[in-house]
Amino acid sequence: MGNVREHDAMPRVSAKRQITLPIDQCREVGIEPGDEYRSFVADGRITIVRKTAGAAKGILCHVDGTSGVSDEESLEDALDESTP
């Protein structure tokens, strides 16, 4: 999992579900006030990643797409799958 460093202070989640990121961790990864971020949930953990131009470039390069499916058909299929 790479270099994992835990922060000593235990920030709490506010009533509005807001968190304060420790300043030393923000400095380490280059997060500044006003930066945009993405968050992901996997294996019961939340990961926060600062958005940077081109950060996702090539992320899906290993996925074979089907050129015969339009964006609209793909969206409709995704919406159908998410409806219980």
Side-chain angles (χ1 to χ4, degrees):
M1 187 160 54
N3 290 336
V4 176
R5 287 185 272 294
E6 185 175 349
H7 187 20
D8 292 335
M10 293 295 294
R12 296 187 186 269
V13 178
S14 76
K16 292 182 178 182
R17 305 295 192 266
Q18 297 170 326
I19 61 169
T20 300
L21 300 173
I23 194 165
D24 59 331
Q25 291 178 349
C26 289
R27 285 181 181 146
E28 186 173 332
V29 298
I31 294 176
E32 297 290 336
D35 283 351
E36 293 183 350
Y37 70 92
R38 297 289 309 235
S39 62
F40 305 91
V41 176
D43 299 323
R45 299 173 191 263
I46 298 172
T47 301
I48 298 170
V49 180
R50 179 176 52 99
K51 286 177 70 173
T52 58
K57 184 177 181 180
I59 198 165
L60 297 176
C61 64
H62 67 283
V63 176
D64 292 326
T66 304
S67 60
V69 177
S70 71
D71 288 346
E72 185 175 306
E73 290 171 320
S74 178
L75 177 59
E76 287 175 5
D77 185 52
L79 292 174
D80 288 344
E81 288 180 10
S82 67
T83 305

